[in-house]
Amino acid sequence: MKRRSGFRVMMGLIGMVRPLTGYMILAILMGLIGHLCAAFITVLGGYAVLNVLGFSTRLSLRGIFAAALIFAVVRGFLRYAEQSCNHFIAFKLLALIRDKVFQSLRRLCPAKLEGKDKGDLISVITSDIELLEVFYAHTISPIVIAVLFCAVMCVYISQFHVALGLIALLAYLVVGAFIPVMISRQSGDTGMKFRAKSGELSSFVLDSLRGLSEIQQYGIGKKRLESMNQQTDELSGDEELLKRITGRNAAVTNTAILVFDLLMLFAAAGLCQGGAIDFSQMLLAVLALMSSFGPAVALANLGSTLQNTFAAGNRVLNILEETPVVEDVTGKQAVTFAGAAAEHVTFAYKDETILSDVSMEIPEHAVIGISGRSGSGKSTLLKLFMRFWETDKGSIKISGRNISDINTTNLRDMESFVTQETHLFHDSIKNNLRIARLDASDEELVTACKKASIHDFIMSLPKGYDTEVGELGDTLSGGEKQRIGLARAFLHDAPMMLLDEPTSNLDSLNEAVILKSLHEEREGKTIVLVSHRQSTMRITDRVYSVEHGRIS
């Protein structure tokens, strides 16, 4: 996992605000005016005291109270409007970020996502992105507001005396900049560890839920529970540490504010005693500083809360900036299927060579079989034909053209791929079938299911094709899911079918029906069969045997 500095994460997240820049500027202006109104209510109180004491002020006592009332109403309205604007920006951006993350996942799959921790991915997509709401609603505009507000207050206090303005500037810098940076450095990578452990716990829980039957069968529930409790305790420990950092941050900030309030009071009193300023200027300068720490305190609080947010942002940016193994191809001339071939293909996964100098011809309308031991590279070869990965050496061709020079959508339209494990969504059987062809009619669904020997089973269910299959298809057997996968391939109606162990979970009767359907399809299709079963290989025109990554 790539780790970025907090500044780089912040810049990466700010870059996503561009579509909503206008709303952000509006939120900043409303926040700035609102904070100025809040600060000057106290200052107006000072003017009222001076008025009562007989000092000359520009406003009457009635005018001062009227102005304070107006400032209070404006402050309340602008506070609400600023927060509404910030949260509109935050939730709009969260939707945009989720869309970008899903687009990135589509680009990265399947090569970069194979072996990825699914629970950790779910944690990124849900809780990590949700945490970014803190950044977009409570970080960007408060930082800009604090800088502008502090500048205005420094100018206002400096009009009484430059030394007082410098004290105010130092106070704002210490409270709003130095303390957050110091707290952030002290917390180190605690936030990153917390988010990583949170993802690991999500993965562990997801694994445990999926493996409940095995856990019960082998009686390891107690051990799994102990492991879950241990991870939860570790996560709670990190969370406690983060809260301690937050508490320490608040204590240091409040102490600094008290120190600078006293420093301003003594400095102003000294200047007043020395004749540099009068009592009214001393009072207004002290009140102005005491009432103006709100935006700076908001920045100080970010020092602890942002650790968790930046850790979440770093994990989100890792997905958004991940480079896919295979880029989609567009803008090429469309190709019509007329046979396929592998020419001297070599492919390695990391440091392990899977295929070495593999060549095979797949003529149009032929049924080609690929046999071999488990782990010999048969499934990998099919994935290379799908261009899930790029070959290290050699080439995969369709109609004489390298598939890396064929539009990705064109390539997918020419191929149907049935894997060893069929994934079913928590939806109806009908909708699970239609992912192969969204515009398929009910009659076409029935025809495809009959070819896959699954129609009679579906019709035996209470709701037929409208029956929901449950999460991950858990309500169906392995053979039933496999036949639905085959029905998808028939429905897709591509000229080339790549079938990876299509009958491994079937009894001999259903296998015979499906093989008969495949044999009948050979007139208009090219079929590549990977199987260990000799009975499946009887319908093939030619069988290639893959041993240790080579064709024998």
Side-chain angles (χ1 to χ4, degrees), residues 175-318:
V175 173
F178 177 75
I179 291 177
V181 170
M182 179 186 69
I183 295 296
S184 177
R185 287 182 176 175
Q186 284 183 352
S187 60
D189 61 350
T190 306
M192 180 66 74
K193 289 179 180 177
F194 179 79
R195 296 313 310 162
K197 288 182 180 178
S198 178
E200 290 170 4
L201 181 58
S202 296
S203 299
F204 189 86
V205 172
L206 185 63
D207 279 345
S208 298
L209 289 173
R210 288 179 175 175
L212 274 177
S213 58
E214 285 78 7
I215 290 173
Q216 290 179 331
Q217 178 182 351
Y218 296 109
I220 59 170
K222 185 177 179 180
K223 184 177 180 181
R224 295 289 293 186
L225 182 60
E226 288 174 354
S227 297
M228 190 181 299
N229 288 336
Q230 181 182 351
Q231 291 187 45
T232 303
D233 290 341
E234 290 176 0
L235 193 64
S236 297
D238 287 338
E239 187 175 20
E240 183 181 353
L241 181 57
L242 286 172
K243 288 181 177 179
R244 285 182 181 176
I245 292 170
T246 301
R248 190 184 309 135
N249 180 33
V252 172
T253 299
N254 290 331
T255 302
I257 290 173
L258 179 61
V259 168
F260 280 109
D261 283 343
L262 292 173
L263 179 61
M264 176 64 81
L265 177 61
F266 290 134
L271 289 172
C272 180
Q273 190 173 9
I277 58 174
D278 60 24
F279 175 77
S280 65
Q281 292 172 317
M282 180 194 77
L283 178 65
L284 294 175
V286 172
L287 289 176
L289 181 68
M290 288 183 173
S291 65
S292 64
F293 278 107
V297 169
L299 291 189
N301 292 335
L302 295 178
S304 54
T305 59
L306 275 187
Q307 280 300 306
N308 215 359
T309 305
F310 282 167
N314 187 73
R315 283 154 57 86
V316 172
L317 290 173
N318 278 338

Side-chain angles (χ1 to χ4, degrees), residues 459-489:
M459 294 309 296
S460 70
L461 299 173
K463 295 184 180 180
Y465 282 83
D466 292 318
T467 302
E468 291 206 354
V469 297
E471 187 177 5
L472 301 178
D474 285 342
T475 56
L476 302 179
S477 69
E480 289 156 358
K481 287 192 285 188
Q482 193 168 39
R483 282 180 283 163
I484 288 177
L486 281 165
R488 282 176 177 166

